[in-house]
Amino acid sequence: MPDLLLELRSEEIPARMQRKAAGDLKKLVTDALVEAGLTYEGAREYWTPRRLTLDIRGLTARSADQREERKGPRTDAPEKAIEGFLRGAGLSSVSEAQVISDPKKGDFYVAVISRPGRPAEEIIADVMPGIIRNFPWPKSMRWGAASMPKGMRYAGIEGKGPESLRWVRPLQSIVCVFGPEHEETQVIPFEIDGLTASNVTYGHRFHAPEAITVRRFEDYASSLEKAKVMLDADRRKDVILHDARDLAFASGLELIEDEGLLEEVSGLVEWPHVLMGEFEKEYLEIPSEIIRLTIKTNQKCFVTRPQGGEGLSNRFILVSNIEAKDGGKEIVHGNGKVVRARLSDARHFWTRDQGDLPDLGTLVESAKKFDLDLKKPLDQRMAKLDALNVTFHAKLGTQGERVRRIRDLAQQLAPIVGADPTLVDRAAVLAKADLRTEAVGEFPELQGLMGRKYATLQGENPSVAAAIEDHYKPQGPSDRVPDDKVAITVALADKLDTLVGFWAIDEKPTGSKDPFALRRAALGVVRILLERKVRLPLYKTLLGAVIDDAIFGTHVMPIDEEVLFDLLSFFHDRLKVYLRDMGARHDMIDAVLTPDADDLLMVARRVEALTAFITSEDGRNLLAGTKRAVQLLAAEEKKGTVIADGVSEELLKLDAEKALWSAITAASKEASDAIAKEDFRSAMEALSKLRAPVDRFFEDVLVNDEDAAIRANRLALLKAIREATGTVADFSKIVS
């Protein structure tokens, strides 16, 4: 069976787009071929900075013949209906249709449409231009003649206007060859915007710019390798990583690995060559996070540290796209000059942030508002943040107003968490101050972390400094959760304020869109409460987070109970996701989680206890006994059968129903006492004792007695079982 080799070669594709683009190309091409009636054995995509490549193996040489029977109208149908059927089926007259008789429906027309298969070459030539023209680049461009407005001429070339091909960077050549493994291949020469597919590609831009003629993937890949192009991106990553490790080790250092940077760098080079540069040791006085980000962001280089040591070394690892004749000395020298310049800027930011602002006199009012000490640099930055009226959100006010809300809410949360209220207040006031530092202005990724460093330098309590960094956490499912109580308090206040605010202005997540990361914020609250074992009455706390409209501004929507219950439901959704990820069954969660449950830690503990209990013999007994009673009760409720408001002992005639009522009374008391102690397992064990009385009740007692009063009383017994077990879980939702 023949194979297909496709290469789209262009100017440099941004590294962040390459992997997805190659995957998109594979999906678009294979989907189009399959839809056209072809099959294939396997397909693999490749990418470099200058090319997207697709290798499809075992493609069928021709699509299968197709035969379709299309049923039409009755033979005595109106003429217009018959004409419409003939047009749709591609027939010129009714003589070309068959007549089928149906004993019930009469005679009707049937069109037999035969479509012969097509050669794969023809199909490929048909589908490829459309795929290329409509390729889903996040950003694309027109260039050359195609970029000129329609009708304009320059140097004798007329631009094609908006219809012209848009591609991420100028497309330079297309390879499209097709053929069996051991036979000569053929070019499928489709054309798009003046480019015609061929069997010619080109190697490394500098080392091997000559044309290369290819036949199939094997010689294509080997020819590119000889021409200094490493086609496999994962192999490039592996080469870079191992060469960088070895080079660092040879200098007595360790490479600080960075998967994101490794992915990016592998997308910048076709022939990786790893080198080592250095900068002056005096720059190591700058925080390591700033050094690392400076070198990574500006030069796409890795940093190193002493083997087994702390901090950074003054050596960095860079990756070149060429093998220089001088061994890379000039490349290292050039990169070193840029790194030194950037580190000099970073040192300037670091030094400036520790000094006084020039306009302290204008910050006095803001300082009084937040009890700030203008002798301290971080306090000055918080006062500046407030004085500038930096907008948090158009409908939710400024950053200063937001800090005031977080501060008020944190004070409510401090006794619940068990945190020192004085330290909580100080941390809440300074939590956003580093947003006005030059270091964070240059590297927003350092917000919080730089605040912690500056707070430590000005002598803040370690808990306050830790809270400034950790109040943003957790920022994802794998991020750590704050462990200091001050940090926990401010982190909760920050996230709850965000959620209440955006619910107030009706900016909730929709579908896959969550521009303000509200799902992440809610999941962060859930993780903090559960992993740090915080008992928080969430609904009451949400009410406490609602500040009067003047704080938010004039556009805020009124926050009523319906809005807050909707937000509580949003927390429930995040809790379900978290518990399922922890291994809990969905039916166990549903059995415990009620719409008004606002103590998420207790919900989690109930789910944990129920999961452990329901698999035991006592648990199976409780589930079986409860379900039998509840199902019968539900059936009677659906019919509208009268059920007594409570159980009347005077109407209990049989020993079995008397024994059941006695067991319910005793089990309910025992379970209630256990729940009061938050001992859910004991509560369930107490209720499991109902199994035997319930079984005996159903064996000896006819629930639907002829006497309406006795029947209503016996149904009330079943209702009492449901109410007793309902204090622990809704067992009707558990899949047995």
Side-chain angles (χ1 to χ4, degrees):
M1 297 175 75
D3 303 328
L4 173 66
L5 169 63
L6 176 70
E7 181 200 68
L8 305 175
R9 189 178 64 89
S10 68
E11 293 291 336
E12 275 71 9
I13 305 167
R16 68 184 183 279
M17 299 183 187
Q18 292 168 19
R19 184 179 291 270
K20 183 178 184 302
D24 287 342
L25 180 64
K26 174 183 172 180
K27 185 177 190 310
L28 290 168
V29 173
T30 54
D31 284 357
L33 297 179
V34 169
E35 186 177 349
L38 301 178
T39 62
Y40 64 97
E41 293 177 356
R44 183 176 174 185
E45 71 274 28
Y46 299 86
W47 62 94
T48 78
R50 299 177 61 220
R51 65 199 80 221
L52 301 178
T53 299
L54 184 58
D55 175 28
I56 301 180
R57 301 293 176 94
L59 194 64
T60 46
R62 184 182 181 86
S63 62
D65 296 339
Q66 295 181 339
R67 184 178 185 277
E68 177 189 356
E69 290 190 2
R70 186 176 299 178
K71 185 178 179 181
R74 287 166 52 100
T75 54
D76 57 356
E79 187 175 341
K80 292 291 185 183
I82 295 174
E83 289 177 358
F85 162 68
L86 294 175
R87 280 195 304 273
L91 304 181
S92 57
S93 70
V94 292
S95 63
E96 296 178 5
Q98 295 182 8
V99 177
I100 303 295
S101 296
D102 186 310
K104 295 182 179 179
K105 299 181 180 179
D107 295 342
F108 57 90
Y109 291 114
V110 171
V112 179
I113 304 171
S114 296
R115 295 188 183 92
R118 300 168 64 203
E121 301 94 307
E122 183 181 318
I123 293 172
I124 295 166
D126 277 355
V127 302
M128 284 309 307
I131 290 172
I132 294 173
R133 191 175 295 281
N134 299 305
F135 199 81
W137 291 109
K139 292 184 179 180
S140 56
M141 60 184 290
R142 290 191 296 271
W143 59 91
S147 67
M148 297 170 61
K150 191 173 183 179
M152 288 186 63
R153 292 177 179 271
Y154 179 75
I157 299 173
E158 183 175 353
K160 297 185 180 181
E163 313 79 34
S164 300
L165 173 67
R166 296 183 68 95
W167 199 249
V168 63
R169 295 291 185 269
L171 194 59
Q172 295 179 327
S173 68
I174 301 171
V175 169
C176 189
V177 293
F178 179 72
E181 184 177 358
H182 301 295
E183 298 178 19
E184 194 60 39
T185 56
Q186 62 174 305
V187 173
I188 303 179
F190 63 85
E191 186 271 339
I192 181 167
D193 273 33
L195 282 177
T196 302
S198 69
N199 60 352
V200 176
T201 188
Y202 297 83
H204 193 284
R205 184 190 295 276
F206 305 111
H207 288 308
E210 301 82 12
I212 301 170
T213 302
V214 299
R215 292 180 301 164
R216 52 179 55 85
F217 180 79
E218 282 73 15
D219 70 276
Y220 164 80
S222 63
S223 296
L224 284 181
E225 189 81 15
K226 293 173 185 175
K228 306 295 185 183
V229 175
M230 197 177 292
L231 186 62
D232 189 333
D234 290 328
R235 183 175 159 229
R236 292 199 303 276
K237 286 176 65 174
D238 192 60
V239 166
I240 293 169
L241 180 60
H242 284 85
D243 286 359
R245 284 174 178 168
D246 292 345
L247 188 57
F249 183 79
S251 300
L253 304 170
E254 280 179 27
L255 176 72
I256 296 181
E257 297 181 17
D258 185 325
E259 176 60 29
L261 179 58
L262 181 61
E263 175 80 9
E264 183 177 11
V265 170
S266 72
L268 297 175
V269 295
E270 290 195 315
W271 194 249
H273 189 55
V274 177
L275 302 167
M276 178 177 281
E278 67 178 311
F279 53 86
E280 286 73 17
K281 289 186 177 180
E282 63 192 66
Y283 289 118
L284 294 177
E285 298 172 2
I286 308 169
S288 59
E289 295 86 358
I290 296 181
I291 295 174
R292 186 174 179 177
L293 266 178
T294 298
I295 293 176
K296 171 183 176 178
T297 304
N298 293 293
Q299 285 305 103
K300 312 303 179 190
C301 296
F302 298 86
V303 293
T304 63
R305 61 183 165 223
Q307 288 180 7
E310 302 244 344
L312 299 181
S313 81
N314 66 324
R315 304 282 186 88
F316 61 92
I317 301 290
L318 62 105
V319 183
S320 170
N321 192 34
I322 60 174
E323 289 183 9
K325 293 179 181 179
D326 64 355
K329 290 182 181 178
E330 280 301 314
I331 296 172
V332 169
H333 176 70
N335 275 268
K337 284 178 64 177
V338 178
V339 165
R340 290 184 193 94
R342 296 291 178 261
L343 288 178
S344 180
D345 291 342
R347 182 168 58 182
H348 175 72
F349 300 148
W350 169 246
T351 304
R352 282 277 298 266
D353 285 340
Q354 297 173 61
D356 290 339
L357 291 173
D359 55 350
L360 285 180
T362 65
L363 306 179
V364 174
E365 185 177 342
S366 291
K368 288 180 181 178
K369 190 188 304 182
F370 291 99
D371 304 313
L372 296 167
D373 181 356
L374 290 182
K375 295 177 182 178
K376 297 182 176 182
L378 200 58
D379 292 56
Q380 295 175 22
R381 272 68 187 175
M382 178 56 223
K384 187 71 172 179
L385 184 70
D386 178 68
L388 288 173
N389 289 321
V390 177
T391 300
F392 168 63
H393 185 281
K395 295 182 180 179
L396 295 176
T398 66
Q399 286 283 8
E401 291 167 340
R402 181 162 186 255
V403 169
R404 185 171 141 196
R405 295 198 303 270
I406 293 172
R407 185 184 189 186
D408 291 343
L409 182 54
Q411 283 301 301
Q412 296 179 47
L413 295 173
I416 297 173
V417 177
D420 184 323
T422 303
L423 296 180
V424 165
D425 187 67
R426 182 65 174 161
V429 165
L430 293 179
K432 306 296 181 183
D434 68 353
L435 296 178
R436 288 305 305 165
T437 62
E438 294 194 39
V440 173
E442 180 72 11
F443 300 112
E445 307 96 312
L446 293 179
Q447 63 183 11
L449 188 146
M450 294 312 302
R452 180 176 190 161
K453 290 188 178 295
Y454 293 136
T456 301
L457 284 172
Q458 70 178 36
E460 298 296 334
N461 184 285
S463 289
V464 171
I468 292 172
E469 177 182 3
D470 289 353
H471 83 281
Y472 289 107
K473 297 183 178 297
Q475 293 190 322
S478 59
D479 194 17
R480 66 179 177 86
V481 172
D483 51 13
D484 184 280
K485 289 185 177 180
V486 175
I488 289 170
T489 305
V490 181
L492 287 172
D494 177 66
K495 292 169 177 58
L496 290 172
D497 174 77
T498 297
L499 289 159
V500 169
F502 282 103
W503 248 253
I505 61 173
D506 198 27
E507 289 279 2
K508 298 176 285 188
T510 56
S512 61
K513 295 182 179 179
D514 187 9
F516 304 109
L518 301 182
R519 291 188 181 94
R520 186 176 72 188
L523 184 58
V525 172
V526 169
R527 287 190 60 199
I528 291 172
L529 296 181
L530 271 56
E531 294 178 28
R532 296 296 175 252
K533 297 178 172 49
V534 177
R535 297 287 306 278
L536 182 68
L538 199 53
Y539 182 77
K540 182 179 178 182
T541 304
L542 296 177
L543 282 174
V546 177
I547 311 298
D548 59 271
D549 290 358
I551 295 294
F552 286 124
T554 58
H555 300 291
V556 69
M557 294 177 63
I559 306 175
D560 53 24
E561 287 189 358
E562 185 178 349
V563 171
L564 292 182
F565 267 111
D566 184 62
L567 178 53
L568 184 60
S569 175
F570 184 70
F571 277 109
H572 288 173
D573 291 339
R574 298 303 100 200
L575 176 64
K576 289 178 182 179
V577 170
Y578 177 81
L579 292 177
R580 284 199 295 267
D581 288 345
M582 294 296 104
R585 282 169 36 183
H586 70 89
D587 58 331
M588 300 291 182
I589 301 170
D590 291 342
V592 167
L593 189 59
T594 58
D596 59 348
D598 74 341
D599 188 339
L600 303 189
L601 179 60
M602 284 300 98
V603 171
R605 287 179 176 174
R606 284 175 182 255
V607 171
E608 183 181 1
L610 180 61
T611 301
F613 179 72
I614 212 68
T615 56
S616 67
E617 185 176 353
D618 284 343
R620 288 190 291 271
N621 284 340
L622 177 58
L623 182 60
T626 301
K627 279 199 167 186
R628 189 174 182 183
V630 170
Q631 286 170 358
L632 176 57
L633 178 65
E636 294 303 318
E637 285 177 330
K638 192 173 182 181
K639 295 177 188 176
T641 306
V642 176
I643 302 170
D645 293 334
V647 176
S648 171
E649 294 190 30
E650 295 177 356
L651 294 175
L652 300 175
K653 302 300 183 183
L654 303 177
D655 291 343
E657 56 185 333
K658 293 176 182 178
L660 178 58
W661 175 238
S662 177
I664 292 172
T665 304
S668 297
K669 174 68 168 59
E670 192 176 340
S672 296
D673 292 343
I675 289 172
K677 299 174 184 176
E678 297 177 358
D679 185 354
F680 303 113
R681 180 67 183 257
S682 295
M684 295 176 197
E685 289 173 351
L687 292 169
S688 70
K689 297 172 185 176
L690 293 175
R691 173 64 189 274
V694 167
D695 285 348
R696 185 185 170 196
F697 176 82
F698 282 118
E699 289 172 6
D700 297 353
V701 178
L702 177 63
V703 175
N704 288 320
D705 193 88
E706 293 180 359
D707 187 320
I710 293 176
R711 179 172 63 246
N713 198 56
R714 288 173 179 172
L715 289 171
L717 268 175
L718 302 186
K719 186 178 180 182
I721 295 172
R722 184 172 66 185
E723 290 172 349
T725 56
T727 59
V728 174
D730 184 350
F731 287 88
S732 67
K733 294 182 178 179
I734 298 176
V735 180
S736 53

